[in-house]
Amino acid sequence: MQKLKARFRVINFIFYILLISCSIFVILDTFVIPHKSNLTSNSNKNEEILNNNDMDDSSEENEEDDINNSSVATITDNSYEDENISIKITTERANDTTYYVADISLSDSKYLKTALANDTYGRNIKETTSVMAQNNNAIFAINGDYYGFRDYGYVIRNGVLYRETANEDNDALVIDNDGNFSIVNESEVTANELLNEGAWQVLSFGPALIEEGEVVVGKNDEVSQAKTSNPRTAIGQVDELHYIVIVADGRTSESEGLSLYELAQVMKEYNCTTAYNLDGGGSSTMYFNGEVINNPTSGGSIGERSVSDIVYIGY
């Protein structure tokens, strides 16, 4: 009888160890271990189109012209201007919060781009916003939608479809080939339909803040599990090739953070006709001319959080 009890204790101990090990693996696999993902069949087709375009002689000439224009830019601590790109950054204060406003005008939508961490699509593949910005020679950059933290939500980047699994009833931001913004509900349209209609970027976080010039979030609306006041990142369109980006500091004694409604009100003050909430909290980062402009707070300390992707301005 004693031997049988001892055997059961050993079996229970082994089972307990296996259970703990499996739980640890699931957590690591979900949040830590990088997983490179394959493109969809449509994405491969898009990549072929992009590669063919890159081989076009006129594109090479345009790229040389762009580089020449950027080399004669007028640059200050809070502004950048050349023949194609104008960026002006101001620091504002409201609702016990410091936030940074980037007013951006472009000559062509091709200067509004996105990039993935390590130039690779997949889960738990991450870099800081500043590192991704530097790797892509970005003039200006913000964190994106942190697509790699989820297994759902449309992902289209620079005309390539990476993920077509919808985040049901979620607002997604669509940026088309002309650089125009629109908001769609992922339950009402497929990623392939968006691609066929000319979507160049699709970001899935949300919610939408402004549509057709009107605030579309209420005072009590909030991202799931988020605090009412938070560091925030938002992007909006004023008119053709004219954009506003706001990044707010938060979670510190110096800067409380903004609610979604407060963020929407600020975007409306800057005359945005469409505005969208990107990943916030510890992810919120604004990069400009080699420097991080805001004060990202991650894990209770000041510093950048590594994320999956960025939205940036550059050549």
Side-chain angles (χ1 to χ4, degrees), residues 9-282:
R9 281 197 295 270
V10 171
I11 292 173
N12 286 337
F13 178 76
I14 293 173
F15 176 78
Y16 178 76
I17 294 298
L18 289 174
L19 182 62
I20 294 296
S21 299
C22 288
S23 298
I24 292 173
F25 174 77
V26 169
I27 292 172
L28 291 174
D29 186 60
T30 302
F31 299 107
V32 178
I33 300 173
H35 293 274
K36 181 178 178 180
S37 300
N38 294 323
L39 298 176
T40 67
S41 57
N42 278 347
S43 297
N44 291 328
K45 187 185 299 182
N46 291 338
E47 277 207 321
E48 183 178 342
I49 293 172
L50 290 172
N51 289 334
N52 288 338
N53 288 341
D54 288 340
M55 293 173 64
D56 188 87
D57 291 339
S58 62
S59 296
E60 291 180 1
E61 291 175 3
N62 290 335
E63 185 175 344
E64 289 180 3
D65 290 340
D66 289 343
I67 293 172
N68 290 333
N69 286 332
S70 66
S71 65
V72 294
T74 301
I75 303 172
T76 70
D77 289 341
N78 56 12
S79 68
Y80 175 101
E81 187 160 8
D82 64 27
E83 291 185 8
N84 300 305
I85 297 171
S86 173
I87 303 171
K88 297 180 177 64
I89 297 177
T90 58
T91 303
E92 308 293 343
R93 181 85 181 170
N95 300 302
D96 296 320
T97 299
T98 300
Y99 59 93
Y100 310 85
V101 182
D103 191 319
I104 301 167
S105 294
L106 307 175
S107 67
D108 194 289
S109 61
K110 66 184 178 181
Y111 306 119
L112 174 58
K113 305 180 182 184
T114 59
L116 307 178
N118 294 319
D119 293 322
T120 303
Y121 171 76
R123 182 152 48 93
N124 298 323
I125 299 174
K126 300 179 289 186
E127 290 180 310
T128 62
T129 295
S130 61
V131 166
M132 278 185 273
Q134 290 163 5
N135 289 343
N136 288 277
N137 297 315
I139 300 166
F140 173 90
I142 53 172
N143 60 288
D145 67 0
Y146 207 159
Y147 76 84
F149 191 67
R150 304 173 302 280
D151 294 321
Y152 48 84
Y154 296 157
V155 180
I156 296 176
R157 297 292 189 272
N158 302 319
V160 178
L161 173 59
Y162 291 97
R163 186 166 67 201
E164 53 188 335
T165 305
N167 183 1
E168 297 296 331
D169 293 322
N170 185 63
D171 293 333
L173 174 66
V174 178
I175 305 175
D176 68 18
N177 290 295
D178 296 320
N180 292 317
F181 288 12
S182 61
I183 306 295
V184 300
N185 187 304
E186 292 184 40
S187 299
E188 298 174 357
V189 61
T190 69
N192 281 305
E193 287 171 339
L194 291 175
L195 200 64
N196 292 333
E197 292 168 1
W200 192 247
Q201 320 282 354
V202 175
L203 296 112
S204 177
F205 196 88
L209 301 172
I210 295 178
E211 293 186 67
E212 297 181 352
E214 298 299 326
V215 172
V216 291
V217 290
K219 292 183 178 180
N220 297 319
D221 289 342
E222 191 45 77
V223 177
S224 177
Q225 298 180 342
K227 297 178 181 178
T228 301
S229 297
N230 252 313
R232 302 284 184 183
T233 301
I235 187 168
Q237 182 177 16
V238 178
D239 52 33
E240 186 176 357
L241 299 174
H242 183 190
Y243 310 99
I244 294 291
V245 173
I246 291 177
V247 171
D249 286 341
R251 299 178 181 173
T252 68
S253 57
E254 293 80 16
S255 187
E256 183 177 328
L258 298 176
S259 69
L260 286 176
Y261 182 75
E262 290 168 341
L263 181 62
Q265 289 290 337
V266 174
M267 298 299 276
K268 185 174 176 61
E269 289 174 8
Y270 283 90
N271 300 314
C272 289
T273 56
T274 304
Y276 187 77
N277 179 59
L278 293 169
D279 186 22

